[in-house]
Amino acid sequence: MKLYITTGTEHQVIQNIQAGNLDLGIVTESIEDGPAEKDIRYERLYTEQYDFVVSEKHTLAKRKTLEWSNLKDVPIILLSRESRIRRQIEARFEEANVIPNVTMELENEEAVETMINISSGAGFLAKRRIDNSRLIGLSVGDKPITVNVAAVYRNSYTPRSIREFLRICNHSLYGQGCLGTPDDPDLKQ
């Protein structure tokens, strides 16, 4: 079995699966929107929370919570406009009537994390990434930003290697408490 790993936005990954260039992808799926593609199967792996993040040197580092209006003039590093999490973040700013001061747009969380550390900047990252870094995570507003993380693959055919990979992922995530129990009815699709 060959394993080829690539990164990209949800849209790019799904396009590659639809074109037959990839067999499997791991993407975020908006909890509000749900899956949009009819020929793609989503298998939820876990739910991820995103928080506002600053470096230890940032002026907001001593705060615990913020309102969206507090971010009006803060230079922010975000993921690409094509990403679902970026669209959710922008929707929250819009709901609060705040125009974000986006100073940098990057393709993946690793790059966002690195730039926040280097520039003493601010942005949004997955809570699990914050917990494993020296960055400071802050809640914004009263409604957390969450996405489902899902494995995606074509509906038409699922190779045995993909099914086995997903079985291992699910088994591992159950053990970490990410998915509840193997009998959870929400996980049987």
Side-chain angles (χ1 to χ4, degrees):
M1 175 171 87
K2 285 186 180 181
L3 179 64
Y4 174 70
I5 298 175
T6 183
T7 61
T9 65
E10 298 86 354
H11 181 71
Q12 292 165 336
V13 170
I14 290 168
Q15 276 188 326
N16 276 313
I17 291 170
Q18 289 171 321
N21 299 327
L22 294 175
D23 292 323
L24 175 74
I26 307 294
V27 300
T28 57
E29 169 194 5
S30 167
I31 289 175
E32 287 88 2
D33 300 335
E37 301 81 11
K38 300 294 183 221
D39 59 335
I40 297 292
R41 180 179 168 106
Y42 283 73
E43 187 170 320
R44 181 173 54 94
L45 298 174
Y46 58 94
T47 299
E48 186 84 85
Q49 179 175 326
Y50 280 72
D51 282 341
F52 184 70
V53 195
V54 295
S55 72
E56 295 172 325
K57 300 172 191 168
H58 199 279
T59 56
L60 296 173
K62 296 195 185 326
R63 305 271 305 259
K64 294 288 181 214
T65 61
L66 298 166
E67 294 303 320
W68 290 96
S69 59
N70 299 130
L71 304 182
K72 182 178 67 161
D73 297 320
V74 176
I76 297 175
I77 302 165
L78 290 178
L79 292 171
S80 134
R81 287 180 191 261
E82 293 178 3
S83 74
R84 289 182 177 147
I85 191 64
R86 165 76 178 261
R87 290 193 300 269
Q88 277 197 49
I89 291 166
E90 287 183 338
R92 298 292 174 85
F93 274 111
E94 191 173 313
E95 288 169 14
N97 293 316
V98 175
I99 298 171
N101 180 15
V102 180
T103 57
M104 194 176 299
E105 189 174 297
L106 300 167
E107 288 295 319
N108 61 56
E109 284 190 46
E110 293 84 5
V112 172
E113 179 180 1
T114 299
M115 291 311 298
I116 290 171
N117 273 317
I118 289 172
S119 69
S120 298
F124 288 84
L125 290 174
K127 193 168 180 66
R128 90 183 131 67
R129 182 175 290 283
I130 300 165
D131 293 343
N132 294 318
S133 75
R134 294 176 47 187
L135 297 173
I136 310 295
L138 305 164
S139 297
V140 182
D142 57 357
K143 183 178 165 189
I145 299 170
T146 57
V147 292
N148 286 330
V149 176
V152 290
Y153 48 94
R154 286 186 302 268
N155 264 334
S156 57
Y157 170 69
T158 309
R160 184 174 183 268
S161 57
I162 301 277
R163 290 192 309 269
E164 183 62 16
F165 176 79
L166 292 173
R167 187 192 66 74
I168 291 167
C169 285
N170 283 322
H171 180 74
S172 174
L173 291 168
Y174 287 129
Q176 294 177 27
C178 295
L179 288 175
T181 66
D183 299 326
D184 186 341
D186 291 337
L187 300 175
K188 296 183 179 179
Q189 299 181 10

